[in-house]
Amino acid sequence: MTAGNNGASTPEDDDPFGYLYADGQANGAQPPSGGYGYPNAVNRVRTVGQRQYGQQAPAAPHGQAPQQQGAYSRPNAHYAAPETHPGGAPTGRRPGQGGGDRGPNTKGLLIGAVAVVAAVVIGIGVAMINGDSDDKGENKAGATTPTATQSSEPSPSTSNSAPSEGELPKTDAEALQVDGGATKASDIKGARTADGVYVTNFNNVGASVTWAVNDIPEDGKYTVFIGYGVPGKDGTATLTVNGTASSTPVNLRNWAEAPEGDYEKGWTKTYNWIQLNKGTNTIKISCEGGNQCDANLDQLWLAKGWVKSG
């Protein structure tokens, strides 16, 4: 069989590519008129520069798809840059290059870190200073003094100091009237009178001391303070004001916490709340039945109102 003639009516009908061979050309084979070397191909030959971009291409023959030609400088609707797809290639611009982008502000981070460290150090220093101040302010002695509480029945004061001078009357043991076997002495040290005199032998039923108080400025509430000493144990006595015995006994407690039998270390004071009249009043302290009166008395003084110290 020779190229271009295989019993067909024309060589090109037998072999469309017969024109490529020498014997096909000898038998008269010609390239097809459609162009591009295959039948019915569309071949529109134009002079260079004849086609203008952006113009609508002529309609294709019936049954054939038209060529799609995008306008110049107009992107294809189906095209997307690689970097817009997941995993696509990154852009060529690096941080710190162009567009005003900047890298991490390492200087700002360093300044912030230094500020935090400085704040921590200052806080530790302040805490240490405050701790030292608190330690220095502690009461290292650990000694405590009993305190009297407000109640309908006055309880003794805890101070062992002598009463301060005031406008209201005050008396020492030397000026007190003694009865019922009570006597005055100065053998035991610690009495707060000018010459150390105190009333003793008070631990007998009927023993008493009486104080005639003058110059009370007005009727009302007052507090009578009683200085005394006990031999390391508690005691009581009876208080009578202007002839009326009080229902509240005089509390002769061992507030000084003296050891038993030690009168010298047992000096302290107590108080009772009373009502006085303007002018002259009598205050009596006695050892009655039911009292424990083993105590020495050295002073009596008054304070305005119902108070706990004076």
Side-chain angles (χ1 to χ4, degrees), residues 104-290:
N105 189 352
T106 56
K107 183 176 181 180
L109 294 176
L110 179 60
I111 294 174
V114 171
V116 170
V117 173
V120 172
V121 172
I122 292 173
I124 294 174
V126 172
M128 293 178 65
I129 293 173
N130 290 339
D132 293 341
S133 299
D134 292 342
D135 291 342
K136 293 178 181 179
E138 288 182 1
N139 182 4
K140 301 299 183 181
T144 58
T145 305
T147 58
T149 57
Q150 179 94 20
S151 67
S152 59
E153 298 182 2
S155 57
S157 164
T158 60
S159 173
N160 290 328
S161 61
S164 59
E165 296 291 341
E167 297 179 356
L168 293 177
K170 173 183 177 181
T171 187
D172 287 343
E174 288 182 342
L176 292 174
Q177 176 183 335
V178 294
D179 294 293
T183 59
K184 298 178 183 179
S186 58
D187 302 353
I188 299 172
K189 296 180 180 180
R192 287 160 292 190
T193 56
D195 51 5
V197 175
Y198 55 88
V199 175
T200 188
N201 200 28
F202 190 68
N203 193 21
N204 297 301
V205 175
S208 66
V209 297
T210 302
W211 180 23
V213 185
N214 300 317
D215 301 325
I216 298 301
E218 59 184 355
D219 297 348
K221 296 178 180 179
Y222 293 85
T223 302
V224 58
F225 289 89
I226 304 160
Y228 67 98
V230 291
K233 60 182 180 180
D234 299 337
T236 59
T238 299
L239 175 66
T240 302
V241 177
N242 294 327
T244 302
S246 173
S247 60
T248 303
V250 178
N251 188 354
L252 303 175
R253 187 171 177 179
N254 182 27
W255 293 113
E257 299 182 353
E260 187 173 358
D262 193 342
Y263 285 94
E264 185 174 333
K265 293 182 179 179
W267 292 105
T268 183
K269 68 178 180 178
T270 188
Y271 67 89
N272 280 68
W273 292 340
I274 59 176
Q275 292 275 354
L276 295 179
N277 303 320
K278 182 179 179 180
T280 302
N281 297 263
T282 58
I283 298 174
K284 178 182 177 181
I285 301 172
S286 60
C287 183
E288 307 295 340

Side-chain angles (χ1 to χ4, degrees), residues 8 10 21 25 27 29 36 49 69 78 114 142 165 189 253 271:
T10 59
Y21 305 98
Q25 295 175 3
N27 290 328
Y36 297 101
Q69 179 67 38
H78 299 288
V114 171
E165 296 291 341
K189 296 180 180 180
R253 187 171 177 179
Y271 67 89

Side-chain angles (χ1 to χ4, degrees), residues 53-114:
Y53 292 97
Q55 296 179 356
Q56 183 68 32
H62 180 70
Q64 297 195 14
Q67 288 184 327
Q68 295 182 357
Q69 179 67 38
Y72 179 72
S73 74
R74 181 179 300 171
N76 191 308
H78 299 288
Y79 173 80
E83 59 269 18
T84 64
H85 294 284
T91 60
R93 188 172 62 190
R94 293 178 294 178
Q97 296 181 352
D101 292 342
R102 297 181 180 179
N105 189 352
T106 56
K107 183 176 181 180
L109 294 176
L110 179 60
I111 294 174
V114 171

